[in-house]
Amino acid sequence: MDSTPHVRPDPRRVAQRLDGNALAGMLDAFAGLDPALLLLTCGHCGRSAALAEWSVEMDAAAAIVRCRGCTRTFATILRRDGGIEVRAAGGSISTPSAV
Amino acid sequence: MRTSDWLAARVADAVPDTAHGRRLTLAVPGWPGNAPGQHLDIRLTAPDGYQAERSYSIASSGPGESVEIAVDEIPEGEVSPYLVRVAEPGDALEVKGPLGAYFVWDPADPSPVQLIAGGSGIVPLLAMARARAAMSAGAPFRLLYSVRTAADALYRDEVERLGAAGLDVTWAYTRQAPTGWPGRVGRLDAERIAQATWMPAQHPLTFICGPTSFVEAAADAMVAAGHDAARVKTERFGGS
C-alpha cells in the first residue's frame, strides 16, 4: 500500500539539468527504425503521415521533403562529404505508435 | 547487417520483357533476404568515378542472395537506359537494401489485399502476388493493372498465369486495348476503380504503385469510395 504523502511533486514532472548524453537512450528508438516508418507532422498545417507518404524532390545533391497537405518544406536533406546533413524546417518527428 | 552498407552485386541474368523494359536478376553475396514490396538502391560507378544512384522495387522476396528487379527505360534517364540496354550478365554494380518497411505486405495478415498498379508500378505488387501464390492458404488478392497497351505490360505473361491460377486480375488500358477487349479504353476513373476493387466493407489493405499522378488519382478514388486512408498504402515514382 502506498503510504507516500501526496504533498511531494510528481517526480516525472520535475526537470533535471543534464547534458545530451542523457538523451542517447531515449533517442535510440529512432536509430534502429526504418526511416520510412517515422511519423512526420507538419508544423504548418498539422498533417501527420509516415515519411513514406511525404513528397520528396530529389537531385544528386539534396532531397527536399515537403508536405502533401500544404506544400511547406519540412526538411532538406543534403549529401555532404560522403555523409548526410538534415536541415529541419518545421514540424515534428515521432516513432510510430507500435514502437 | 546495416542497410547503410553497399553490397557488391553482379548481373546474373537479363531478360527483355517489353520493348523498353527488362527483368534483371542480381547476384548479391550477403543479401539478407527481403519482404514482398521492399526496394533497393542501385549505385553505378563510371570509369571516371562519377556515381549515380536510383531506387528500384524488388519483384522477388524471401531468403536467398538472388534478387530480381524489372526496369522500365526512362528516355534521357541516367541509370535505366544502362540497365535496360547495356548491362550484361557478369557486369558489376552495387546495391543497398532491402529498404522500406512501409510498403510491405505481411503474409501473416489475413486481410483481403487490393493491388493497383500503374505501368512499372507492378514490380513490388508482383512480389506480393508471388508471395501469396506460394502459400497454400493466405489472404484473398485482387490486382488492377493499368497499362498503355498490352505490349507495355511488364510481367504480362506471369500476371496472366497468376490470373489463371486464381488471382483476380483486372486489366485497364489507357491507350489501346487488345482486339476484342470489351472494356473502355482510357484513364481509370472512380467508377472503374470501384468495379475492380474490394468494397470498403471488406476492409481490404490496398497497395498502389505507379507514377505520381496515377497513384494520387487512385488513392483519392479509394478514400472517396469509403476506404480507410490509413489502409491505402502508396508508393510513387517519377514525374507527375
Side-chain angles (χ1 to χ4, degrees):
Chain A
M1 190 168 182
D2 183 8
S3 59
T4 307
H6 288 265
V7 292
R8 289 168 62 185
D10 181 341
R12 291 168 301 182
R13 303 294 297 274
V14 177
Q16 295 174 272
R17 285 181 186 275
L18 302 167
D19 61 30
N21 289 300
L23 285 177
M26 190 171 160
L27 294 182
D28 189 55
F30 281 124
L33 192 68
D34 185 321
L37 295 177
L38 286 172
L39 192 66
L40 273 53
T41 302
C42 177
H44 180 68
C45 73
R47 184 179 182 276
S48 196
L51 174 60
E53 293 285 357
W54 283 64
S55 179
V56 173
E57 296 165 4
M58 183 153 61
D59 63 21
I64 300 169
V65 182
R66 299 177 68 188
C67 179
R68 286 188 186 281
C70 68
T71 75
R72 293 295 177 101
T73 296
F74 181 88
T76 306
I77 302 168
L78 300 112
R79 295 180 196 276
R80 278 284 164 83
D81 304 324
I84 293 289
E85 176 183 325
V86 178
R87 292 186 182 170
S92 66
I93 304 175
S94 54
T95 54
S97 53
V99 173
Chain B
M1 170 175 306
R2 293 187 65 95
T3 52
S4 56
D5 294 334
W6 286 97
L7 297 170
R10 288 201 175 273
V11 176
D13 196 20
V15 180
D17 194 335
T18 68
H20 43 78
R22 185 153 81 153
R23 299 193 304 268
L24 295 170
T25 305
L26 308 178
V28 190
W31 181 257
N34 62 278
Q38 288 192 289
H39 63 272
L40 52 70
D41 283 356
I42 287 184
R43 182 163 75 182
L44 301 178
T45 304
D48 67 0
Y50 175 78
Q51 294 186 322
E53 287 175 33
R54 291 293 185 281
S55 292
Y56 289 98
S57 293
I58 304 170
S60 53
S61 65
E65 297 184 332
S66 178
V67 182
E68 182 183 330
I69 62 171
V71 181
D72 216 16
E73 182 175 12
I74 299 169
E76 316 301 321
E78 195 176 29
V79 174
S80 65
Y82 171 80
L83 295 175
V84 173
R85 307 279 172 201
V86 181
E88 295 298 338
D91 286 352
L93 40 77
E94 290 173 286
V95 305
K96 184 198 289 186
L99 301 170
Y102 177 77
F103 197 78
V104 164
W105 177 59
D106 174 7
D109 187 339
S111 303
V113 171
Q114 180 66 54
L115 309 175
I116 303 178
S120 55
I122 187 66
V123 177
L125 307 183
L126 184 78
M128 298 178 193
R130 283 175 165 177
R132 168 62 189 87
M135 300 167 68
S136 58
F141 265 51
R142 299 183 79 171
L143 167 64
L144 172 57
Y145 187 2
S146 173
V147 290
R148 282 174 294 185
T149 74
D152 291 308
L154 285 168
Y155 292 107
R156 179 174 186 85
D157 291 350
E158 184 167 350
V159 169
E160 296 284 16
R161 282 198 299 276
L162 287 167
L167 176 67
D168 184 342
V169 179
T170 301
W171 290 92
Y173 300 98
T174 59
R175 298 270 178 85
Q176 184 184 14
T179 306
W181 177 254
R184 195 167 63 77
V185 173
R187 288 195 163 201
L188 281 175
D189 56 25
E191 183 186 346
R192 286 204 292 160
I193 290 174
Q195 286 170 352
T197 56
W198 299 103
M199 291 187 295
Q202 291 161 307
H203 211 48
L205 191 55
T206 300
F207 294 92
I208 306 173
C209 185
T212 298
S213 58
F214 175 88
V215 169
E216 303 278 333
D220 287 350
M222 293 295 281
V223 173
H227 291 274
D228 178 357
R231 289 178 66 76
V232 178
K233 298 200 168 195
T234 58
E235 187 164 84
R236 303 160 177 84
F237 56 78
S240 55

